[in-house]
Amino acid sequence: MTLQAQTLSAFLPQTPAEPLPSVDLQTFRFVMGSFASGVSVVRAGTKQDRPRGLTCSAICSVSIDPPLLLSSVSNRSGTLAAILATGKFAVNILGAQGQAVSQLFASGAEDKFERVRWEPGTLTGSPLFQVTVAHAECELYNAVEAGDHTLLIGRVVSGGTEQDRLPLAYWRGSYQRVSQESTPRVT
Ligand SMILES: Cc1cc2nc3c(=O)[nH]c(=O)nc-3n(C[C@H](O)[C@H](O)[C@H](O)COP(=O)(O)O)c2cc1C
């Protein structure tokens, strides 16, 4: 066991107590839906091997060195199998104009990629869209099954941003607009 793992294990109970029952699904959804997020489309596959993609709001930054991000994908997603098979994926963070793309990639449509404009990413070949505020190309670093989802940890190998666009946001089950009013961060 590494020193770090030993230190962390000191915080865990040695003999786990009887687990408390889980919160009901509706409360869980209300609580987590109150965390405002952006919306992304996570995709895998190249032009040759029929790309797959899904709308995903469960994205977060994990580590700076190496640069890692995390995407939580349902074990029932067809895109998950494609990512695990290729070991590569792209995250496209949608701009305010991306609501229709979000709806398309949240659907079970078979021809998602025939209905949108996209280009293969330069390093991984993973599809990249045009209605984005940013994109990242990733190599799969780790995949951890957690309940009915799998946490895909990707090492970012390439990325870019569009400075003049506002993002698409999602909060409490609805798409939201982000206003340009901003308050400087106090550091
Ligand atoms: C705004 C929004 C956010 C979503 N976020 C996620 C997510 O974080 N993880 C996930 O597995 N599914 C998420 N979904 C649902 C998937 O996009 C949906 O199940 C999709 O049909 C899966 O496609 P696939 O089976 O082709 O991979 C989200 C849907 C919407 C509309």
Side-chain angles (χ1 to χ4, degrees), residues 52-58 72-74 76-79 102-103 105-107 112 149 170 175:
R52 301 292 309 239
L54 86 160
T55 300
C56 186
S57 55
S72 178
V73 176
S74 165
R76 293 164 61 178
S77 154
T79 310
S102 170
Q103 285 303 111
F105 279 83
S107 76
K112 294 175 184 178
H149 278 54
Y170 197 71
Y175 295 101

Side-chain angles (χ1 to χ4, degrees), residues 111-183:
D111 59 346
K112 294 175 184 178
F113 283 90
E114 282 145 42
R115 300 205 216 163
V116 281
R117 289 223 220 135
W118 62 275
E119 288 170 13
T122 43
L123 284 182
T124 64
S126 297
L128 302 175
F129 288 142
Q130 294 191 331
V131 286
T132 59
V133 286
H135 73 271
E137 289 185 77
C138 302
E139 258 183 11
L140 191 60
Y141 182 85
N142 203 350
V144 182
E145 205 173 324
D148 57 7
H149 278 54
T150 294
L151 308 179
L152 296 171
I153 300 172
R155 186 172 59 82
V156 180
V157 295
S158 164
T161 54
E162 295 286 344
Q163 295 298 337
D164 55 344
R165 294 187 193 157
L166 289 172
L168 182 64
Y170 197 71
W171 183 70
R172 293 191 172 167
S174 302
Y175 295 101
Q176 310 286 337
R177 284 187 187 280
V178 173
S179 89
Q180 217 147 11
E181 277 172 45
S182 56
T183 312

Side-chain angles (χ1 to χ4, degrees), residues 16-41:
E18 191 67 23
L20 294 169
S22 297
V23 73
D24 64 278
L25 184 57
Q26 194 184 42
T27 304
F28 179 71
R29 284 203 165 127
F30 282 162
V31 171
M32 295 315 296
S34 298
F35 187 64
S37 69
V39 182
S40 76
V41 172

